[in-house]
């Protein structure tokens, strides 16, 4: 029972979070489609590079977290009274780079590198697009744990 409860709590905490595996699977779903689909999903790319017959389009994502104000109480310098002051949680910046290779107008390859905090943004954008266009079923948070 204790083991099930741990799995359940982990699953609930991860529900709605994109994993690298699910993002990779979603990227495979857009292979063979026109590069204009990628522009529709991710917007205009950060860069475009021609290598032989292929064109590599790259998107970059930066996400931040933190900077949340916290109220703290401490004694003043004479230790006679409490003083309330504000501080902030540390700000963390995450980066992710997504590359799609296009050949003869179709997406033929993909790659993504970076930290989960930013790559998750790309993954959520793609997942939402696939769900909206009927190309993906809604995510089942239990599928990865129990192999449904």
């Amino acid at each position: 029972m204790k083991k099930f409860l741990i799995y359940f709590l982990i699953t609930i905490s991860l529900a709605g979070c994109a994993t690298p595996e699910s993002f990779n699977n979603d990227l495979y779903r857009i292979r063979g489609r026109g590069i204009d689909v990628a522009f529709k999903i991710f917007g205009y790319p950060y860069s475009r590079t021609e290598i032989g017959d292929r064109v590599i389009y790259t998107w970059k994502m930066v996400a931040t977290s933190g900077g949340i104000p916290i109220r703290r109480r401490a004694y003043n310098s004479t230790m006679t009274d409490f003083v309330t002051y504000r501080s902030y949680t540390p700000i963390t910046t995450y980066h992710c780079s997504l590359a799609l290779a296009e050949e003869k107008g179709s997406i033929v390859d993909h790659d993504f590198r970076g930290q989960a905090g930013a790559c998750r943004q790309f993954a959520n954008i793609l997942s939402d697009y696939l769900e909206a266009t009927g190309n993906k079923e809604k995510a089942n948070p239990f599928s990865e744990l129990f192999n449904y």
Side-chain angles (χ1 to χ4, degrees), residues 98-116:
L98 168 65
L100 296 178
E102 175 255 332
E103 189 173 326
K104 298 179 184 170
S106 296
I107 300 169
V108 294
D109 202 0
H110 68 267
D111 188 27
F112 62 95
R113 298 185 188 278
Q115 299 150 317

Side-chain angles (χ1 to χ4, degrees), residues 22-36:
S22 66
F23 184 33
N24 196 44
N25 291 339
D26 287 349
L27 286 168
Y28 273 106
R29 290 176 195 246
I30 64 170
R31 279 194 181 186
R33 296 187 189 186
I35 195 67
D36 58 319

Side-chain angles (χ1 to χ4, degrees), residues 22-128:
S22 66
F23 184 33
N24 196 44
N25 291 339
D26 287 349
L27 286 168
Y28 273 106
R29 290 176 195 246
I30 64 170
R31 279 194 181 186
R33 296 187 189 186
I35 195 67
D36 58 319
V37 170
F39 297 152
K40 187 183 294 184
I41 298 169
F42 302 113
Y44 291 108
Y46 177 79
S47 68
R48 179 184 186 273
T49 308
E50 292 185 29
I51 302 174
D53 293 341
R54 290 188 175 188
V55 179
I56 310 298
Y57 295 93
T58 305
W59 289 262
K60 295 186 184 259
M61 180 74 68
V62 177
T64 59
S65 69
I68 300 168
I70 301 172
R71 293 186 68 149
R72 299 180 187 253
R73 289 187 57 143
Y75 278 108
N76 64 8
S77 60
T78 60
M79 302 293 282
T80 58
D81 196 11
F82 278 107
V83 177
T84 302
Y85 66 96
R86 289 175 69 157
S87 65
Y88 295 86
T89 59
I91 296 175
T92 306
T93 304
Y94 304 99
H95 299 271
C96 186
S97 178
L98 168 65
L100 296 178
E102 175 255 332
E103 189 173 326
K104 298 179 184 170
S106 296
I107 300 169
V108 294
D109 202 0
H110 68 267
D111 188 27
F112 62 95
R113 298 185 188 278
Q115 299 150 317
C119 289
R120 186 177 303 120
Q121 301 292 329
F122 279 132
N124 290 340
I125 291 167
L126 178 56
S127 180
D128 290 348

